[in-house]
Amino acid sequence: MHRFIHLRQKTFNIKNAKLHFFFVIVNHYFKNTFQQSQNVSVFCVILQPDFKTNFKCNRLKMKDNRDSIDFGKADIRKLFRTFFFPTMMGMLFNMAFIVTDGIFVGHGIGPHGLAAVNLIAPIMMLINGLAMMFGIGASVVAAIHLSHNNIKAARINSTQAYLAGCTIAIVMGIVCYGFPNEVLTLLGAQGELYDAAYEYYIWFIPTCLLMTIETIGLFVIRLDGSPRYAMIANIIPAIINIFLDYLFIFPLGMGLKGASLATDIGGFAAVVMVAIYMFFFAKTLKPYMLKRTRKSMMLTIRNIGYMIRMGFSGLLGELAVSVMIVAGNLIFKHYLGKDGVSAFSIACYLFPLFYMIYNAVAQSAQPIISYNHGAGKIQRVQKTLAFGISISVGIGAVMTLVFIFFAPLITSLFINSSEPVYEIAASGLPYWATNFIFMAFNICMIGYYQSVEASMSATFFTLLRGIVFMVAAFVILPILIDEKGLWLAIPLAEILTTLSIIIYELWKIKNHSKEHKIINTMK
């Protein structure tokens, strides 16, 4: 491993200031963070108190000759681990931020604060879904271009994803700023709750754009071969957000405005990290200056439309979570009253944790599968899919057993055992947890369809598991088996989706074998 370091020193005159720029390069950090060969410059600024006229800037330029990640030849298990653990850690920190944000708002502001934040949640889920749609679409298309060594096309596609996502986020921000009363009324903010929701809402709107850039950027950074940097770009903003949440809500007493500002600042930190990587450290997927000719604009529209097709199931997946929450709240309230809704809210609080873990598996496999799909290496695609499914299903099986044996302990983390809600949740969570294995399989397969450009299949099965089967199960099962049916509705929806996917795959195998027989007969 050879490294060449060149030192250049320049002296400038700046009135009344003396600044020394120290360029610090830590080999171990770059070994673990940047997975490609490139020139790296790191800047550390120290302001010194003595005011003179000399200004010196020392620049270290490091050339790192490490090899990049080889999607087409590296061992699948090792390659998968390279992406999975950083991706999962980043998502778990995001989950930690969501949980602590709820705790701080609940204890520092009160129930009306939680209710106000929950009212604004659909906007966040919609924005995150749109960003995932462009992130997944760009990652799939760019990976296929990279497999053909078409770096220019890959750069253009990733740039177009940023352009499209940011345009939609800006338009949504303008609408939210211009029509706050209409938007909040549509979200259900009324009476006393309206003022609290407005306080959070009006300061939250910048997050629309920030979240879009961050989400798309993380997909592109992983594809560029730096999953560890993507992890860091998840973790640092989450830590900043948690710290500022506490600072603004408790010591400074800024209420919901403080909670919203903390989210904005954390999002801004993530955008800065994404921008630093894309402009200074990216190996292949640096932003590309798009032409402004009529032909170029038409091609951009075409490419964006294709990316939307590839990633639409990602948006649909986020919307499906909203459908699950809304349908579950209505059915639980109908059968068990407000205590039932409170018990179901524990499951809703835990659901994103497992969804993020399985998504981490799907997102880790996606660049590997897309690249090898584009290169025509079907065996590597199948091996990556099988390994991803085994990891997800294994995690699902373990977590199912944990909930079956430790449901009372898990429930006690959220509510006191003396509350009526405790018995409902402690007895129901083991039934609900039976969905984990099937959910793991379904998310992996939907991610696989996204990765091999089978957008219709990904969208179809997302609709089945998140809306069609889910709503039908919530309506029918409680009629057949009372309270247990409430908790088994989600597992039934996942089981039916798994069976549908298996039947579809068997049908594909059968058709494929028929085609081979016809071709052999013609020969």
Side-chain angles (χ1 to χ4, degrees), residues 215-497:
T215 303
I216 297 173
L218 293 180
F219 274 98
V220 175
I221 290 170
R222 291 188 196 102
L223 179 61
D224 197 56
S226 295
R228 291 178 187 269
Y229 188 94
M231 174 189 71
I232 295 169
N234 252 326
I235 291 175
I236 291 178
I239 293 173
I240 291 172
N241 207 325
I242 291 170
F243 170 73
L244 292 180
D245 255 340
Y246 173 80
L247 178 66
F248 291 163
I249 293 174
F250 291 102
L252 299 182
M254 294 173 66
L256 286 170
K257 174 184 174 182
S260 192
L261 280 174
T263 303
D264 291 339
I265 295 171
F268 181 74
V271 169
V272 169
M273 295 188 70
V274 167
I276 288 174
Y277 180 88
M278 296 309 301
F279 285 103
F280 298 105
F281 297 132
K283 177 191 176 185
T284 54
L285 297 178
K286 287 186 177 182
Y288 189 89
M289 181 63 70
L290 301 176
K291 296 179 181 178
R292 286 176 284 184
T293 63
R294 179 190 174 97
K295 181 181 178 180
S296 178
M297 291 177 68
M298 295 302 295
L299 289 174
T300 296
I301 293 171
R302 184 202 67 179
N303 291 342
I304 290 171
Y306 188 69
M307 284 187 277
I308 289 174
R309 280 179 51 203
M310 292 298 102
F312 182 71
S313 57
L315 168 61
L316 205 58
E318 292 294 310
L319 297 179
V321 176
S322 299
V323 171
M324 180 200 76
I325 294 171
V326 172
N329 283 337
L330 291 173
I331 300 298
F332 269 84
K333 185 178 181 181
H334 177 74
Y335 284 93
L336 301 176
K338 65 177 183 179
D339 287 340
V341 176
S342 298
F344 180 62
S345 70
I346 295 175
C348 292
Y349 227 82
L350 293 167
F351 185 85
L353 173 63
F354 302 103
Y355 187 73
M356 284 183 178
I357 292 173
Y358 302 145
N359 246 340
V361 175
Q363 290 183 23
S364 301
Q366 182 270 314
I368 306 171
I369 291 176
S370 293
Y371 185 95
N372 287 284
H373 166 69
K377 298 181 178 181
I378 306 303
Q379 287 188 340
R380 287 181 63 82
V381 170
Q382 293 173 343
K383 190 173 180 180
T384 305
L385 174 63
F387 188 63
I389 290 175
S390 65
I391 294 292
S392 284
V393 170
I395 294 172
V398 171
M399 296 314 300
T400 299
L401 292 174
V402 169
F403 272 76
I404 288 173
F405 291 107
F406 300 103
L409 177 61
I410 294 169
T411 306
S412 66
L413 296 174
F414 293 87
I415 52 175
N416 196 296
S417 58
S418 61
E419 297 285 342
V421 178
Y422 177 86
E423 282 300 324
I424 300 174
S427 60
L429 283 177
Y431 295 107
W432 172 75
T434 55
N435 84 88
F436 292 157
I437 295 175
F438 305 100
M439 178 184 173
F441 176 82
N442 295 337
I443 290 177
C444 273
M445 288 304 298
I446 289 170
Y448 162 73
Y449 293 135
Q450 291 171 337
S451 302
V452 297
E453 301 179 280
S455 57
M456 292 298 292
S457 299
T459 300
F460 176 72
F461 289 116
T462 302
L463 276 171
L464 284 187
R465 70 171 288 270
I467 297 176
V468 178
F469 289 153
M470 185 81 68
V471 174
F474 266 127
V475 172
I476 296 171
L477 271 188
I479 298 174
L480 300 177
I481 52 178
D482 298 324
E483 185 179 327
K484 290 180 182 177
L486 296 170
W487 294 101
L488 288 171
I490 295 175
L492 178 61
E494 297 289 358
I495 290 170
L496 291 175
T497 306

